[in-house]
Amino acid sequence: MFKNYNMNQLVLPLDLEVNLQNNDIAFHIHCLVESIPQEAFEPFLRNEGCPAYHPRMMLKIILCGYTQSVFSGRKIEALLKDSIRMMWLAQGYEPSYRTINRFRVQPEVKELIRQCFVQFRCQLVQEKLIDQEAIFIDGTKIEANANKFTFVWKKSIEKYHQGLIEKSNQLYNELLEKEILPEIERESEEELTLEELARIVQKADDVINDYDKKIEASSDNTERKTLRSERKFPKQVRKQLLDYIVRKQKYERHFEIFGTRNSYSKTDHDATFMRMKDDYMKNGQLKPGYNVQISTEGQYTLAYSLFSNPTDTRTLIPFLDEIEQHYLPLPKYIVADAGYGSEQNYDDILSNRKREALITYNMYLKEQNKKYKQNEFNSVNWLYDEEKDTYTCPNQQRVVFKYHSVRTDKSGFEREFKIYECEDCSDCPFRSLCTKAKEGNHRKIMVNKKWEQQKEYVRAKLSEEKTNSIYRRRKIDVEPVFGFLKANLCFTRFSVRGKSKVENEMGLALMAVNLRKFTVNTLVRT
């Protein structure tokens, strides 16, 4: 005996929602998008043309596709015909892949994604899944949708540009020496601008035209031959100058794209070449990518941002600004690893934002070693006389204060140092172990009092039981999110180009990770 099976009979109910499980991820996607205020959808309103698909529906089906590790517009379109949850979310509509792709890269979608994160956080607070005591910050690099071998390096462009400047100056000076062209007014003696090169080309044209008129007016073959010979050099100069103008315009476009970066990809100008941890060629090859910064709590992403610089140190301050302006007020504790430990970052968190920084620095773990603490040639372990402001080296020589020094980094942040120098390093039996200074020079040490105070603050905070327990949560809070993103969701490479489009896709992928985890946690709680 078999169960009833009849393909020719209508089966009820027709409502697809009945066929979904009670805790299906589609319900969480639906609730999240419906919680977004109506004002966020007003920029999508159009008074002309055919009525558009509702942006709530479009956002739901794209988020649902991403939660199923489907990032292609064509595959999302196919799911609309195959997946019950996608059919229910779309309510029978079947937008084409072109419509899906156009929607997810619109600038207005960025605000919808931001609202998703804000509303999702409110839901986490309501469900008591986060305590809002601390945020955990970390970054990862994700490969851009760009050719791996279309790199442009800033140092190379600077080298070629400098060579062009020298050649153009040399050619201009040669024209003046041979009295072919009159001298022109220059903004700078070091470099000819594009406008100045264009004026020189115009004057070269005038000289060539004068020779042409003389040749046409002359009937003497010998004279005509001489004039042609004299015209040859100005024509060569004009051709060279036109080539210089084209090259200079190209180099200036390169510098404009570079900005503060050292490289970019020709197929995605916003992507910077970085070293990826997942280097499948095993040769340290640089690949175009973006530095993704996220802040988490309870293994949920609460905010994110993309940066073009490969290191994390200079991303912290702008990322915290972005969090405060668009996502959430900063909690009491800001937790991050040693990659963010710098004097500027500590100063910003402690002084400007009035928060507590649970961020280690590069030498924190090494300073805990017994070998480091017992190294008598390490200036940190030298005896310091506060009254005389002197140190005592292992050879019992005084290391006295000499002068103040101020260093300014690329971002404009100033660090103040006190420079100390040993009174006499000559005939020191420990010289080879203590310093690499040349013979006749004495050992110098640089002391940054503010930096030492900040390091002492970090060591004191991490020695407290409560703050140390919060810092220890960092590894099990923020780092697993990247594992969920890359290993579970299989999101390892962007499918769009341009920073604004990449930001939208990154937000969709991170929200998909949040929804998958929230669905599992809800199932466990019930």
Side-chain angles (χ1 to χ4, degrees):
M1 185 175 180
F2 298 103
K3 292 183 179 180
N4 181 45
Y5 176 72
N6 189 346
M7 294 290 292
N8 299 318
Q9 183 177 354
L10 181 65
V11 179
L12 296 176
L14 296 177
D15 189 359
L16 295 173
E17 182 180 354
V18 178
N19 293 325
L20 297 176
Q21 296 181 7
N22 293 333
N23 193 47
D24 195 274
I25 196 170
F27 293 124
H28 298 294
I29 295 171
H30 169 70
C31 292
L32 175 64
V33 177
E34 289 296 327
S35 66
I36 299 175
Q38 181 62 32
E39 294 77 16
F41 297 93
E42 290 179 357
F44 294 89
L45 290 173
R46 299 290 184 271
N47 297 324
E48 306 88 16
C50 179
Y53 292 112
H54 201 290
R56 287 190 193 272
M57 184 270 288
M58 296 297 296
L59 184 59
K60 287 176 186 178
I61 63 172
I62 293 173
L63 273 175
C64 187
Y66 273 71
T67 59
Q68 308 308 307
S69 301
V70 176
F71 314 118
S72 163
R74 291 179 184 271
K75 291 182 179 179
I76 294 175
E77 180 187 6
L79 283 180
L80 289 167
K81 299 177 176 66
D82 299 337
S83 171
I84 294 177
R85 59 168 63 98
M86 290 286 277
M87 292 178 186
W88 176 70
L89 289 173
Q91 288 295 294
Y93 290 111
E94 295 181 0
S96 68
Y97 72 92
R98 289 190 181 90
T99 305
I100 294 169
N101 289 339
R102 279 197 298 264
F103 178 82
R104 64 176 169 177
V105 298
Q106 287 185 52
E108 294 85 359
V109 174
K110 185 176 181 180
E111 174 60 19
L112 295 185
I113 296 172
R114 187 190 73 83
Q115 285 287 348
C116 282
F117 279 93
V118 172
Q119 298 301 327
F120 186 75
R121 176 179 169 274
C122 294
Q123 191 173 352
L124 293 176
V125 173
Q126 187 177 359
E127 297 281 342
K128 297 182 180 179
L129 293 174
I130 59 175
D131 54 18
Q132 307 181 74
E133 185 181 27
I135 57 170
F136 302 87
I137 295 175
D138 204 356
T140 189
K141 299 177 184 68
I142 296 182
E143 189 176 349
N145 181 18
N147 193 302
K148 302 178 185 64
F149 306 106
T150 57
F151 37 75
V152 182
W153 302 105
K154 191 172 187 177
K155 286 187 177 180
S156 297
I157 300 300
E158 287 175 344
K159 175 185 174 183
Y160 296 140
H161 186 238
Q162 185 60 38
L164 176 63
I165 292 172
E166 293 173 359
K167 288 179 181 178
S168 58
N169 286 337
Q170 183 179 355
L171 182 59
Y172 174 69
N173 293 331
E174 187 177 353
L175 291 172
L176 294 180
E177 289 175 4
K178 294 184 177 181
E179 298 182 352
I180 296 174
L181 296 178
E183 188 173 357
I184 63 171
E185 294 183 5
R186 297 177 59 178
E187 295 179 6
S188 172
E189 295 297 325
E190 297 178 357
E191 178 182 356
L192 286 165
T193 64
L194 281 170
E195 292 77 9
E196 290 167 352
L197 286 171
R199 293 211 308 267
I200 296 173
V201 169
Q202 184 61 45
K203 291 184 180 297
D205 283 336
D206 294 339
V207 172
I208 294 169
N209 290 335
D210 289 340
Y211 276 111
D212 291 340
K213 291 177 182 178
K214 291 178 182 179
I215 292 171
E216 290 177 3
S218 176
S219 58
D220 187 357
N221 289 337
T222 305
E223 184 182 1
R224 287 164 65 91
K225 187 175 181 180
T226 304
L227 290 171
R228 288 197 196 95
S229 179
E230 292 175 357
R231 187 185 60 177
K232 186 176 180 180
F233 180 71
K235 290 182 74 173
Q236 291 175 342
V237 167
R238 181 182 178 279
K239 185 177 179 180
Q240 281 183 312
L241 289 170
L242 290 174
D243 178 59
Y244 291 165
I245 290 174
V246 172
R247 287 169 58 191
K248 193 172 184 66
Q249 288 174 337
K250 183 177 71 172
Y251 296 152
E252 288 186 356
R253 283 197 301 271
H254 284 315
F255 288 126
E256 186 178 347
I257 296 171
F258 279 127
T260 57
R261 298 178 294 162
N262 293 323
S263 63
Y264 77 87
S265 171
K266 291 179 182 178
T267 45
D268 184 356
H269 290 175
D270 293 330
T272 308
F273 279 81
M274 308 174 182
R275 271 193 176 82
M276 308 285 180
K277 288 183 179 178
D278 52 339
D279 180 17
Y280 47 81
M281 297 188 73
K282 307 298 181 185
N283 59 1
Q285 178 186 345
L286 298 172
K287 291 185 285 187
Y290 292 89
N291 187 353
V292 181
Q293 297 290 313
I294 66 170
S295 68
T296 68
E297 188 177 358
Q299 295 185 354
Y300 292 103
T301 302
L302 305 181
Y304 76 100
S305 188
L306 267 71
F307 296 90
S308 298
N309 45 315
T311 57
D312 293 333
T313 308
R314 292 191 182 129
T315 63
L316 183 62
I317 294 176
F319 185 40
L320 292 177
D321 290 337
E322 179 119 358
I323 293 174
E324 283 190 307
Q325 292 172 12
H326 300 115
Y327 292 98
L328 65 140
L330 291 176
K332 182 178 180 180
Y333 299 104
I334 297 173
V335 188
D337 61 16
Y340 299 87
S342 70
E343 182 180 342
Q344 184 177 7
N345 290 342
Y346 288 135
D347 186 61
D348 179 76
I349 295 172
L350 299 175
S351 302
N352 299 340
R353 305 183 195 272
K354 308 299 181 184
R355 300 294 192 275
E356 295 194 22
L358 302 184
I359 304 174
T360 55
Y361 48 91
N362 287 334
M363 294 291 291
Y364 176 77
L365 292 177
K366 191 173 182 180
E367 288 177 357
Q368 314 304 316
N369 295 340
K370 184 177 179 181
K371 182 179 178 181
Y372 182 89
K373 293 179 180 179
Q374 293 180 350
N375 184 4
E376 59 181 359
F377 300 109
N378 189 343
S379 60
V380 177
N381 300 324
W382 290 357
L383 183 65
Y384 176 65
D385 188 339
E386 190 172 354
E387 293 183 2
K388 297 180 180 179
D389 193 16
T390 59
Y391 290 86
T392 302
C393 76
N395 196 31
Q396 303 304 312
Q397 296 291 327
R398 290 199 316 157
V399 182
V400 299
F401 169 72
K402 288 295 183 180
Y403 57 89
H404 289 278
S405 176
V406 177
R407 292 190 174 185
T408 306
D409 59 18
K410 293 181 180 179
S411 62
F413 184 75
E414 293 184 349
R415 295 179 296 159
E416 298 181 358
F417 295 90
K418 294 180 72 175
I419 310 300
Y420 294 81
E421 184 176 352
C422 184
E423 288 185 333
D424 187 13
C425 282
S426 57
D427 301 326
C428 176
F430 309 119
R431 182 180 177 86
S432 59
L433 300 172
C434 185
T435 181
K436 295 181 180 179
K438 296 180 180 179
E439 289 294 335
N441 296 333
H442 305 305
R443 176 167 181 183
K444 293 181 180 180
I445 61 173
M446 302 172 62
V447 179
N448 186 339
K449 292 293 185 183
K450 188 175 183 180
W451 175 239
E452 295 300 327
Q453 292 171 1
Q454 291 172 345
K455 291 198 295 184
E456 183 59 36
Y457 161 84
V458 172
R459 289 192 290 267
K461 279 294 177 184
L462 295 184
S463 64
E464 298 175 9
E465 183 177 354
K466 179 182 178 181
T467 50
N468 191 22
S469 64
I470 293 174
Y471 179 77
R472 287 201 305 269
R473 283 165 47 196
R474 185 194 67 80
K475 289 184 179 180
I476 60 172
D477 197 294
V478 63
E479 293 186 4
V481 175
F482 296 132
F484 300 153
L485 178 70
K486 295 181 179 181
N488 295 354
L489 199 68
C490 301
F491 188 88
T492 57
R493 191 171 189 262
F494 292 109
S495 57
V496 293
R497 296 175 180 177
K499 189 175 180 181
S500 62
K501 298 177 183 179
V502 166
E503 283 178 335
N504 286 358
E505 187 174 31
M506 191 73 254
L508 292 169
L510 290 171
M511 184 50 62
V513 172
N514 284 345
L515 288 165
R516 286 175 60 149
K517 181 174 176 59
F518 184 77
T519 303
V520 172
N521 286 350
T522 305
L523 182 62
V524 171
R525 292 203 309 273
T526 55

